[in-house]
Amino acid sequence: MSRIRPDNPPPPEYAFGYRRPPRSGNEINGLGVTDEVPASAVFHSAGDARLEWQALDDFFSLVNPWPVVKHVVANAWQLRKRNGPVSQRRRQVEDPQAMTAEVKEAARALGAELVGITGITADAVFAGRSAPHPHAICLGLSMDLEEMKHVPQRRAAVEVMRVYREISKIAIQLAARIRSWGWPAKAYGNPNSTDILHIPLAVNAGL
């Protein structure tokens, strides 16, 4: 049997079976469902739960070239610090608007180009998951245009993962600073994204 590689993908009709078949992609996508239902996590496992299509998620990660995998592994390693102890001395917030401005300025000082803050709504939480805090600080960082012109080649993939890694670093540092003020904060960054949907929050935050 030949090895599966990016330049040698398996045929559309797979020559293997499942001992326990995963849920159908059509079922996960809600084919035929007319009622509004929470979104289901499909890819990018946070490591604390096996997803329905975990094997495919792992496959996508493992077939990437080393320059991409390097950023993925480094990002996963730094995200071990996404949460931590909170200072027992809580800084009181007398002016919420002033504190919002200070948090945004701290994020920009750490390297974020876009910053927005919004409440976490039910439609931004995956089914069966929960958000530990009522508010989200959304961060944005641009990718190099010249590198992204090479999509879908390796150069563009490396740039995408480089920015994922950098934005995670900023989020981790910002969360640590907030915890030093006596307030709980948890950093989220790819692939640690199976609790909340980032796009609805970014839109609500004005990004």
Side-chain angles (χ1 to χ4, degrees), residues 46-204:
D48 57 350
R50 295 287 295 180
L51 301 177
E52 291 286 349
W53 289 85
Q54 186 69 52
L56 187 60
D57 193 32
D58 293 342
F59 173 76
F60 284 154
S61 297
L62 294 173
V63 298
N64 278 303
W66 169 244
V68 174
V69 174
K70 179 180 69 174
H71 286 302
V72 173
V73 172
N75 191 28
W77 175 251
Q78 70 179 0
L79 281 167
R80 76 192 190 283
K81 297 182 178 179
R82 61 183 174 265
N83 212 345
V86 180
S87 173
Q88 295 183 354
R89 295 184 61 182
R90 171 165 290 188
R91 178 177 169 185
Q92 297 304 312
V93 180
E94 299 179 359
D95 185 346
Q97 290 187 341
M99 177 57 73
T100 297
E102 184 174 349
V103 169
K104 289 183 176 181
E105 182 57 33
R108 294 189 185 97
L110 291 169
E113 296 173 10
L114 296 175
V115 189
I117 301 177
T118 185
I120 295 181
T121 52
D123 62 349
V125 181
F126 280 116
R129 297 283 181 153
S130 61
H133 308 303
H135 295 90
I137 304 169
C138 302
L139 310 176
L141 194 63
S142 61
M143 297 176 186
D144 187 280
L145 179 59
E146 292 305 314
E147 295 300 309
M148 295 309 295
K149 287 179 179 178
H150 293 275
V151 170
Q153 303 303 318
R154 177 184 301 189
R155 286 179 60 175
V158 172
E159 174 62 11
V160 169
M161 297 315 301
R162 181 193 70 79
V163 173
Y164 279 0
R165 177 182 176 183
E166 185 63 27
I167 203 73
S168 292
K169 179 181 177 181
I170 295 170
I172 291 167
Q173 293 175 336
L174 181 62
R177 182 169 301 184
I178 293 172
R179 292 195 300 270
S180 74
W181 295 339
W183 295 90
K186 178 182 178 180
Y188 285 80
N190 185 282
N192 180 43
S193 56
T194 49
D195 290 336
I196 55 177
L197 291 84
H198 296 176
I199 293 178
L201 294 175
V203 171
N204 292 340

Side-chain angles (χ1 to χ4, degrees), residues 5-51:
R5 296 181 179 277
D7 57 353
N8 180 32
E13 297 297 330
Y14 297 116
F16 59 82
Y18 289 97
R19 181 172 298 174
R20 190 184 69 177
R23 288 173 61 200
S24 162
N26 286 334
E27 179 186 347
I28 294 174
N29 291 335
L31 181 65
V33 176
T34 56
D35 295 333
E36 186 173 327
V37 295
S40 298
V42 180
F43 293 118
H44 303 309
S45 171
D48 57 350
R50 295 287 295 180
L51 301 177

